Amino acid sequence: MQAIARRSRAAGRRIGFVPTMGFLHEGHLSLIRIARRRCELLVVSIFVNPIQFGPGEDFTDYPRDRDRDKLLCRRENVDVLFCPSNDEMYPEDHTVYVDETVLSRGLCGASRPGHFRGVTTVVAKLFNTVQPHLAVFGQKDAQQARIIEKMAADLDFPVRIVRGPIVRESDGLAMSSRNKYLSREDRARATVVFKSLRLAKSLLSQGTRQTSVVRRAVREALGATPRVEVEYVATVDDRTLKPVTRVAGPTLLAVAVRIGGTRLIDNVVLRPRSAPSGRGASYA
Ligand code: PAF
């Protein structure tokens, strides 16, 4: 992979990269299309990264379908499908890890200790192998995207991080490889996650700015659906990921729930609307 990257760079071809864990869906394909438009050599990786799964998490059950993934990548004109093995990525004597120490603490980091250390370590390795000019990450994993942006900035990776918007099913459920775990009944219940985010947006448009009011409404909406257990409902500054009490600038409303055994996350960025007089903050 490094030899391909070197040759491509020497020929002046821009390398675009979409790292994935496979079992590709429309969400991944949208990221692949964003990268395709902006580069000459498009690399997609598939690697189910063991070190970002905690004990008791779904590493062994994580859905895999390499043949289908290959077909989809071919259809999207992916130039290189990079699928390293566990042993290639983590030989027995692997001892060095990349750890972001602030943004990783809250939200998903609180309930999944070590998860983001696993993500930053594998993404750093993939960046060094693929040597991309730009890499595309999905907004569904907003905390992950922010941590990768910070890692690239702090460790001087010469790569531009691009975020791709969340892709949703027709009923609003954010696309995720893990949706496959949901039973038919739980799949129907899962739509409450998006509905709760929409409710939050409508509170904003009615003038609510206090985040405690927004969080309470979201928790109530989620709690009214059987089998939906709330892991967190958080309102944080979109860049620092620190909790905020008012929506005064771009504010990430992030939600994690469990439905049956399945953990789902989703989010929306809340922005204060222009004051009716035309004065005040405006975020188009
Ligand atoms: O978002 C994912 O699928 C994974 O966390 C990533 C970025 C491919 C790292 O394993």
Side-chain angles (χ1 to χ4, degrees):
M1 185 64 245
Q2 279 176 334
I4 293 171
R6 252 194 316 273
R7 278 199 299 272
S8 180
R9 281 181 166 259
R13 303 174 80 204
R14 277 178 70 76
I15 303 175
F17 179 41
V18 182
T20 81
M21 299 207 297
F23 208 69
L24 304 179
H25 50 68
E26 272 302 317
H28 296 111
L29 300 185
S30 73
L31 306 181
I32 289 173
R33 286 171 199 146
I34 290 171
R36 180 69 284 177
R37 288 197 292 274
R38 298 176 174 216
C39 70
E40 283 83 47
L41 187 86
L42 173 55
V43 181
V44 171
S45 66
I46 297 180
F47 179 63
V48 184
N49 175 32
I51 67 165
Q52 71 185 74
F53 291 80
E57 289 189 357
D58 56 346
F59 173 65
T60 41
D61 299 336
Y62 196 83
R64 294 159 166 90
D65 189 342
R66 189 59 55 83
D67 290 340
R68 188 168 166 276
D69 289 346
K70 265 191 200 163
L71 197 76
L72 291 171
C73 284
R74 202 165 295 143
R75 270 195 214 148
E76 299 299 329
N77 290 319
V78 171
D79 297 302
V80 180
L81 185 56
F82 177 53
C83 308
S85 69
N86 276 348
D87 291 345
E88 282 170 313
M89 290 300 270
Y90 303 114
E92 246 172 55
D93 60 351
H94 180 102
T95 53
V96 178
Y97 294 83
V98 177
D99 205 3
E100 193 289 325
T101 55
V102 173
L103 303 171
S104 306
R105 284 200 208 131
L107 307 173
C108 293
S111 55
R112 303 186 71 191
H115 168 68
F116 287 116
R117 181 181 190 250
V119 171
T120 42
T121 300
V122 80
V123 172
K125 283 173 68 67
L126 290 167
F127 281 177
N128 284 331
T129 314
V130 176
Q131 299 176 23
H133 295 83
L134 73 105
V136 189
F137 290 82
Q139 172 66 16
K140 187 173 84 70
D141 298 294
Q143 184 179 17
Q144 167 174 284
R146 185 67 202 113
I147 290 169
I148 298 296
E149 286 165 0
K150 191 69 169 37
M151 177 187 83
D154 284 7
L155 298 185
D156 309 304
F157 280 96
V159 57
R160 171 134 188 242
I161 308 298
V162 175
R163 291 201 201 192
I166 298 177
V167 178
R168 299 183 179 280
E169 304 282 358
S170 54
D171 61 5
L173 181 68
M175 292 208 182
S176 162
S177 304
R178 290 191 168 101
N179 292 349
K180 179 187 154 57
Y181 299 147
L182 295 165
S183 68
R184 221 158 63 91
E185 294 76 13
D186 286 345
R187 168 67 187 77
R189 292 181 181 112
T191 57
V192 72
V193 177
F194 175 62
K195 285 182 193 147
S196 75
L197 298 179
R198 219 171 37 192
L199 171 70
K201 276 199 113 162
S202 77
L203 287 176
L204 252 286
S205 63
Q206 288 158 33
T208 305
R209 293 290 176 270
Q210 252 185 296
T211 56
S212 57
V213 174
V214 175
R215 287 196 309 275
R216 195 177 322 123
V218 171
R219 274 188 178 274
E220 275 171 18
L222 294 169
T225 306
R227 283 170 63 79
V228 176
E229 284 169 48
V230 178
E231 186 182 294
Y232 65 75
V233 174
T235 38
V236 296
D237 179 274
D238 192 37
R239 275 190 72 74
T240 64
L241 304 187
K242 286 197 182 126
V244 292
T245 55
R246 284 184 66 75
V247 180
T251 300
L252 181 72
L253 167 61
V255 168
V257 299
R258 277 180 192 281
I259 307 184
T262 306
R263 185 172 183 279
L264 300 176
I265 59 171
D266 201 347
N267 68 77
V268 68
V269 179
L270 304 175
R271 296 165 202 274
R273 292 193 327 159
S274 309
S277 64
R279 290 196 310 270
S282 166
Y283 298 84

